[in-house]
Amino acid sequence: MVTRLPRSADLARFCQKLNRVKTLEDDMMETSFNRCLTTVDLALLGIGAMVGSGLYVLTGTVAKETAGPAIVVSFIIAGIASLLAALCYAEFGAHVPKTGSAYMFTYVSVGEIWAFLIGWNVILEYMIGGAAVARAWSGYLDAIFDHRIKNFTETHVGSWHIPFLAHYPDFLAFGILLVATAFISFGARVSSWLNHVFSAISMGVILFILIMGFVLARPQNWGAAEGGFAPYGVSGIMAGSATCFYAFVGFDVIATCSEEARNPQRAIPRAIAISLSLATGAYILVSMVLTLMVPWHSLNPDSALADAFYQRGYSWAGFIVAAGSICAMNTVLLSNLFSLPRIVYAMAEDGLFFKVFSRVHPRTQVPVVAIVVFGVLMSLLSLSLDLEALVQFLSIGTLLAYTFVAASVIILRFQRVKTEEASNARSEASAPESTESIGANEPKEYESFSDKLHLVGKEKSKSRREGGQMKAFFEPYLGFLADFDPGEVVTVAVIILMVSAICLSSILVFGQNQLHLPTWSFALLVLLFSLAFVFSVVLISVHQQQQSTQTFQLPLVPLTPALSIFINVYLMLKLNYMTWIRFSVWLLVGLLVYFGYGIWHSKENLREPTAHSVCARYVVFPSGSLEETVQAVQPSTQPSQGLEEMAGEEEAKR
């Protein structure tokens, strides 16, 4: 028995399935969720997600081991880099006010399989992130009580010595996640109120740290006697920036809540700007205070802020700092548990994930099944697994999501406007030219009305240009590119941009250390890939953008998202190889889920016509107007005979 090889048409159809984009509803404000969150609610959710354990742990670690007092500069650079990604999220959150964040943004612009893989990685990111914060919360509280909880558990329950498992079961982390899951399931209003309480306490403690810190500041701690302001040099500042970048991970929770915001077009950009500004300011000022209070080399990385007050003789202040850190970790837990079920809901609602997770409780108006199931899974992770080895996995998933969102902004901005008004405008512009472009005596046949307009109206209107078309100024110089459909050249340019960013980052990261390239070849490769990167940005820039005055738009497109893509790719390549191996394994599991379930149950798959459906056909005669001569040919068993009959009728009519 001979197995038939797949035809090229079958392969093309399969690739189209993988890259189909989501069809958005006409009324994107319609939702089964409760639109109850204000700008303040969203901003506090973002602050709670960003200003968590990183403020109390990360600052001391980077200051002592990487940058010294120059951690202040590291946070400034990291804040600017985070701003590039945050602005991309702000534009999409305002333009597409649907839950799903990076998954949804990728689905409406890039394609289905890419959106699924982004969502699949974001799910794991939130699960590991929430479980890791719960264990940090447990360890911090246990340290206050002199590790009595840990000692009791190891004595009466036992300890484990198995790879990938924790040294002992952390029942405290397990319990706090179950309690947080219960509160999240009560609805967005309850979750927001609880986040307000913990955020207010956390910000009050930060304000206390700043006031007390500046009172106790000693400028000589930045002096030459203690090693100077930048003891690790410029390389230490940049390495510190790469680490500090992860402190700002979490603002995407605001975009995830788009479907529950009262006025997402305004609330999402404002909340992202407010939360990122306050978080950046908090990190810069706290790191400044910390290194001024005590010498940077004497810091305790595990509890730097509390230990700094202990060193200065204010032990009572250390307890206030510890209380603030616990409240800050609570806000991070709430933001993780708030975002994760909504990503799962968005994927399930689109048919890419199991349908049961798309159920919304009629009273609380939240995806309660997704909340309970993934809340319990997160609790089990915190109970049993050793999460220290998996924490770096968070970075690669987040950076990949940032990269695709930035690319999606470029693609969406340079797409043709798919509105009824735009179609009418194209029809009006093409109609006068139709009689001139059809010069043959025989009727011309087209598969669809849009094909007719495209072929007849080949000369595009220069007074009204669509998104993705070349700007009129560049047509005399780059006229050969004007023959492509709107957006095609931009899509190719985005691919060139991504490839050149990957190559350039690889040379910068591995060129001299791992690859041992000579100086001349290193410089040559950097120059070539830099030119390719700049060329792609310029190629995108010569095309017309969509202009909108109703929603927030990212400034300096395509330069801003292009820089964001480069920074994200560079940071991804800085991660160790074990992170990439784990990432690849998780991607393979995701592909099994997608090809086993998602591709067949996708709503976009159900919208596609069957292979045997008959498309409408149109006939255009050379001597009539567009309205008089375009007529649908009814499907028949003898299409050529029907065509001749219609031609005869039209001749008799004239």
Side-chain angles (χ1 to χ4, degrees), residues 372-417:
V372 172
V373 170
F374 283 88
V376 171
L377 287 175
M378 195 183 294
S379 303
L380 292 173
L381 283 178
S382 67
L383 175 71
S384 56
L385 288 185
D386 178 17
L387 297 168
E388 291 183 7
L390 299 178
V391 166
Q392 265 206 335
F393 194 94
L394 302 176
S395 305
I396 194 168
T398 303
L399 292 170
L400 185 67
Y402 287 178
T403 303
F404 270 86
V405 170
S408 299
V409 166
I410 300 175
I411 293 173
L412 188 70
R413 184 74 74 86
F414 290 90
Q415 274 184 349
R416 175 190 298 180
V417 181

Side-chain angles (χ1 to χ4, degrees), residues 305-348:
L305 283 169
D307 186 68
F309 283 106
Y310 286 134
Q311 289 188 43
R312 297 300 301 272
Y314 293 88
S315 57
W316 56 271
F319 285 103
I320 297 177
V321 173
S325 67
I326 290 175
C327 289
M329 291 181 196
N330 284 337
T331 62
V332 179
L333 280 180
L334 289 173
S335 67
N336 274 272
L337 281 168
F338 192 88
S339 303
L340 173 58
R342 284 153 177 80
I343 301 288
V344 175
Y345 162 83
M347 297 176 68

Side-chain angles (χ1 to χ4, degrees), residues 20-309:
R20 58 195 171 197
V21 296
K22 179 178 174 63
T23 304
L24 293 173
E25 301 85 355
D26 294 332
D27 183 11
M28 286 192 288
M29 293 298 289
E30 184 180 352
T31 177
S32 56
F33 287 113
N34 179 21
R35 288 197 178 273
C36 61
L37 300 180
T38 63
T39 302
V40 175
D41 297 329
L42 294 170
L44 288 176
L45 276 172
I47 293 171
M50 287 184 281
V51 184
S53 55
L55 188 74
Y56 298 91
V57 178
L58 187 67
T59 49
T61 303
V62 176
K64 183 173 183 178
E65 301 176 359
T66 310
I71 184 178
V72 176
V73 181
S74 296
F75 270 118
I76 293 174
I77 297 172
I80 294 172
S82 300
L83 180 64
L84 298 177
L87 290 174
C88 296
Y89 273 80
E91 173 167 337
F92 254 113
H95 191 77
V96 186
K98 290 292 184 181
T99 192
S101 189
Y103 156 77
M104 181 62 66
F105 304 158
T106 307
Y107 202 175
V108 300
S109 56
V110 179
E112 184 173 282
I113 188 171
W114 310 107
F116 177 86
L117 293 177
I118 291 296
W120 184 251
N121 283 299
V122 170
I123 288 174
L124 185 65
E125 170 200 334
Y126 278 124
M127 287 185 64
I128 294 178
V133 171
R135 287 191 73 93
W137 182 95
S138 171
Y140 219 101
L141 187 65
D142 192 27
I144 295 176
F145 295 102
D146 199 23
H147 301 289
R148 293 178 183 174
I149 301 174
K150 174 185 176 182
N151 295 333
F152 178 85
T153 304
E154 289 182 339
T155 302
H156 294 83
V157 178
S159 58
W160 299 328
H161 300 284
I162 303 173
F164 299 107
L165 290 183
H167 297 299
Y168 65 95
D170 196 335
F171 293 104
L172 190 58
F174 178 81
I176 188 61
L177 276 171
L178 290 182
V179 172
T181 300
F183 276 107
I184 292 293
S185 64
F186 290 148
R189 192 73 264 172
V190 175
S191 307
S192 178
W193 176 83
L194 197 62
N195 183 72
H196 284 188
V197 173
F198 288 125
S199 296
I201 297 174
S202 178
M203 287 190 290
V205 172
I206 291 172
L207 190 61
F208 167 79
I209 292 171
L210 294 178
I211 294 173
M212 284 290 295
F214 279 115
V215 170
L216 299 174
R218 292 174 176 172
Q220 59 266 30
N221 288 331
W222 284 9
E226 301 293 347
F229 178 73
Y232 295 97
V234 176
S235 60
I237 293 174
M238 298 308 297
S241 300
T243 306
C244 294
F245 179 84
Y246 305 119
F248 298 98
V249 170
F251 60 79
D252 55 331
V253 66
I254 299 173
T256 306
C257 303
S258 296
E259 206 161 333
E260 290 162 282
R262 290 180 183 174
N263 186 2
Q265 284 79 12
R266 293 191 177 187
I268 298 299
R270 290 178 179 177
I272 288 178
I274 293 170
S275 60
L276 191 63
S277 300
L278 291 177
T280 305
Y283 276 112
I284 291 172
L285 292 174
V286 168
S287 59
M288 183 183 299
V289 161
L290 180 63
T291 52
L292 284 172
M293 283 177 61
V294 295
W296 60 270
H297 50 77
S298 66
L299 292 171
N300 179 6
D302 296 329
S303 55
L305 283 169
D307 186 68
F309 283 106

